[in-house]
Amino acid sequence: MDFNAILGRLSAETGETVEAISARLVAATGLTTEKLDAIRRAVAEKAAEGGADARALIAEVAEKAGVEADRVTAVFEKVKADVEAKGLSGLWAEWTAGLHQDKDGRILDDLKDRIAGLFGRRDA
């Protein structure tokens, strides 16, 4: 499932426009609208290419969008919170299933570990 489809489904479930959801993401992450759009495009491109490694996804999306990897993670964290707040956890789980490495139920921990690994750090 495409990341943009998650925003579309969240919009359909809440009645809030994708633009309004995007505005909240911009406000919550400190990104510009243009950078958020670049992240959305980069995620869509990466999803179309296939491959499910979280480290590669974040690194490539960050590079293509011209933002730091932690900004990409911030977008994912905010969308996850929004999805879960609306009772749509299954939607998030469906999108992240292929990225989940240790199957412990904490995809964002996996994403953060991979980001830390990109910069030579690993949390114990």
Side-chain angles (χ1 to χ4, degrees):
M1 174 179 287
D2 183 317
F3 182 69
N4 292 313
I6 290 176
L7 299 182
R9 292 263 307 268
L10 186 58
S11 172
E13 292 290 330
T14 64
E16 187 177 20
T17 66
V18 171
E19 292 77 15
I21 294 168
S22 294
R24 280 192 293 104
L25 287 172
V26 165
T29 61
L31 292 166
T32 64
T33 301
E34 293 77 20
K35 289 295 182 184
L36 178 62
D37 289 345
I39 289 171
R40 289 175 59 188
R41 281 190 306 275
V43 170
E45 288 171 15
K46 183 65 183 159
E49 292 170 7
D53 178 73
R55 178 182 290 185
L57 173 77
I58 289 173
E60 290 179 34
V61 166
E63 183 179 336
K64 286 180 181 181
V67 299
E68 296 176 357
D70 64 339
R71 297 295 204 153
V72 176
T73 300
V75 169
F76 290 166
E77 288 174 337
K78 179 61 178 146
V79 171
K80 179 181 185 270
D82 286 355
V83 166
E84 289 182 344
K86 302 300 180 188
L88 302 171
S89 297
L91 178 60
W92 182 259
E94 181 182 335
W95 185 68
T96 59
L99 301 174
H100 199 183
Q101 298 299 310
D102 61 13
K103 309 298 182 203
D104 66 355
R106 297 187 313 256
I107 182 67
L108 286 175
D109 289 345
D110 292 342
L111 292 171
K112 287 177 187 176
D113 286 348
R114 280 151 186 77
I115 290 169
L118 290 173
F119 298 102
R121 300 185 313 270
R122 281 249 182 232
D123 295 334

